[in-house]
């Protein structure tokens, strides 16, 4: 679905981001993988290089919440590949869960800095380059089903993902004239390092209220992300797709 495409994926060191990298490489893309954890993202690219040799996949250490980091890393990417990525997946995200009455300002702000500011910085920087080079593109941002429902203990995370969803819709309106699409995928509870820390009792409760009675696998989220990144979704923009097992 992505032959010859250059794809930039944040949060590529694990979870959904890593699954997206693998699927996009399988579908013919050259993957530019970025993550704050350098060891993890290097591991992702080592897997890609071993399986899909000769594709030019590279890893970069990136703090999406830091303006200078985003600027310098993407400038290097533009130089290394002599072009900006035309596929962008903002999968970097963190949680700092606590009940609202107990949540610190620092934990509230840190989640917004990564999940919202990080998505903005990467999207803005790459879109500027795409517009300057007169290139079309597809941006896929990772939201969450809790953005539409709220969730106890996640007032910061749920609010940040709601912001990502509305940000994406606005980007789609502004960038449509340049043939740059922007959509959001809303995963439900997914088997990732982020959900591994959830107590078993809580996991079992959520499984019981999910119609499909299980958590998603990261690959199932990656399939929808890759579809939205490809030309198979060429008339889809400003849309949010829930991948939540009916939750």
């Amino acid at each position: 679905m992505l032959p010859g495409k250059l794809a930039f994926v944040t949060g590529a060191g694990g979870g959904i981001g890593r699954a997206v990298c693998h699927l996009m490489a399988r579908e013919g893309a050259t993957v530019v993988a970025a993550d704050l954890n350098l060891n993890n993202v290097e591991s992702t690219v080592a897997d890609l290089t071993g399986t899909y040799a000769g594709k030019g996949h590279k890893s970069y250490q990136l703090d999406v919440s830091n303006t200078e980091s985003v600027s310098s890393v993407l400038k290097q990417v533009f130089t290394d590949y002599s072009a900006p990525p035309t596929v962008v997946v903002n999968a970097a995200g963190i949680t700092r869960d606590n009940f609202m009455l107990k949540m610190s300002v620092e934990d509230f702000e840190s989640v917004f800095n990564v999940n919202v500011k990080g998505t903005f910085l990467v999207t803005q920087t790459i879109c500027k380059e795409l517009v300057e080079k007169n290139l079309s593109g597809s941006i896929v941002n990772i939201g969450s089903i809790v953005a539409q429902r709220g969730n106890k203990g996640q007032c910061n995370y749920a609010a940040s993902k709601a912001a990502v969803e509305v940000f994406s819709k606005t980007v789609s309106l502004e960038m449509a004239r340049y043939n740059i699409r922007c959509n959001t995928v809303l995963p439900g509870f997914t088997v990732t390092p982020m959900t591994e820390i959830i107590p078993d009792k809580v996991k079992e409760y959520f499984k019981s209220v999910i119609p499909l009675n299980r958590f998603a696998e990261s690959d199932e989220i990656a399939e929808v992300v890759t579809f939205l990144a490809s030309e198979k979704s060429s008339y889809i923009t400003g849309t949010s797709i829930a991948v939540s097992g009916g939750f």
Side-chain angles (χ1 to χ4, degrees):
M1 285 195 287
L2 298 170
K5 297 289 187 180
L6 183 63
F8 184 79
V9 183
T10 70
I16 292 171
R18 176 173 284 187
V20 168
C21 289
H22 277 269
L23 184 54
M24 287 191 169
R26 191 188 78 189
E27 292 295 330
T30 297
V31 175
V32 182
D35 198 284
L36 183 61
N37 189 310
L38 184 58
N39 289 335
N40 286 354
V41 75
E42 286 179 341
S43 174
T44 296
V45 170
D47 289 344
L48 299 184
T49 302
T51 308
Y52 312 100
K55 293 291 186 179
H57 312 300
K58 287 187 179 182
S59 60
Y60 298 81
Q61 186 175 33
L62 173 66
D63 178 358
V64 297
S65 69
N66 184 283
T67 305
E68 290 303 316
S69 178
V70 172
S71 178
S72 62
V73 168
L74 285 174
K75 183 177 180 181
Q76 188 63 52
V77 170
F78 300 157
T79 299
D80 290 346
Y81 290 94
S82 301
T86 57
V87 169
V88 182
V89 181
N90 284 300
I94 63 169
T95 56
R96 294 290 185 270
D97 295 349
N98 211 334
F99 291 110
M100 189 271 293
L101 293 179
K102 297 180 179 180
M103 184 169 292
S104 68
V105 173
E106 290 76 16
D107 282 348
F108 190 89
E109 289 180 338
S110 63
V111 167
F112 267 77
N113 282 338
V114 173
N115 298 0
V116 185
K117 180 184 175 184
T119 299
F120 160 73
L121 289 174
V122 171
T123 301
Q124 183 191 57
T125 304
I126 293 179
C127 280
K128 283 182 177 180
E129 196 73 9
L130 290 174
V131 170
E132 183 178 320
K133 298 290 192 297
N134 194 29
L135 295 170
S136 60
S138 178
I139 300 157
V140 185
N141 295 325
I142 304 300
S144 172
I145 197 65
V146 302
Q148 297 185 338
R149 302 171 57 95
N151 194 34
K152 289 181 180 179
Q154 289 193 312
C155 69
N156 51 357
Y157 182 76
S160 74
K161 290 302 187 178
V164 166
E165 185 176 1
V166 178
F167 169 77
S168 302
K169 290 179 182 297
T170 304
V171 170
S172 75
L173 295 173
E174 294 185 4
M175 302 309 296
R177 62 183 293 193
Y178 303 107
N179 200 27
I180 297 171
R181 299 183 294 113
C182 186
N183 293 288
T184 313
V185 172
L186 309 176
F189 291 91
T190 307
V191 179
T192 68
M194 192 178 289
T195 56
E196 286 177 1
I197 62 174
I198 298 174
D200 289 340
K201 184 177 180 180
V202 177
K203 288 181 184 177
E204 290 307 312
Y205 165 74
F206 278 111
K207 286 179 184 178
S208 73
V209 297
I210 295 170
L212 289 183
N213 201 37
R214 64 178 178 85
F215 284 6
E217 297 294 331
S218 294
D219 289 347
E220 294 176 296
I221 311 301
E223 290 281 359
V224 180
V225 172
T226 302
F227 165 72
L228 288 173
S230 75
E231 291 304 312
K232 290 183 178 293
S233 63
S234 58
Y235 200 59
I236 299 176
T237 192
T239 295
S240 301
I241 298 181
V243 190
S244 62
F247 179 69

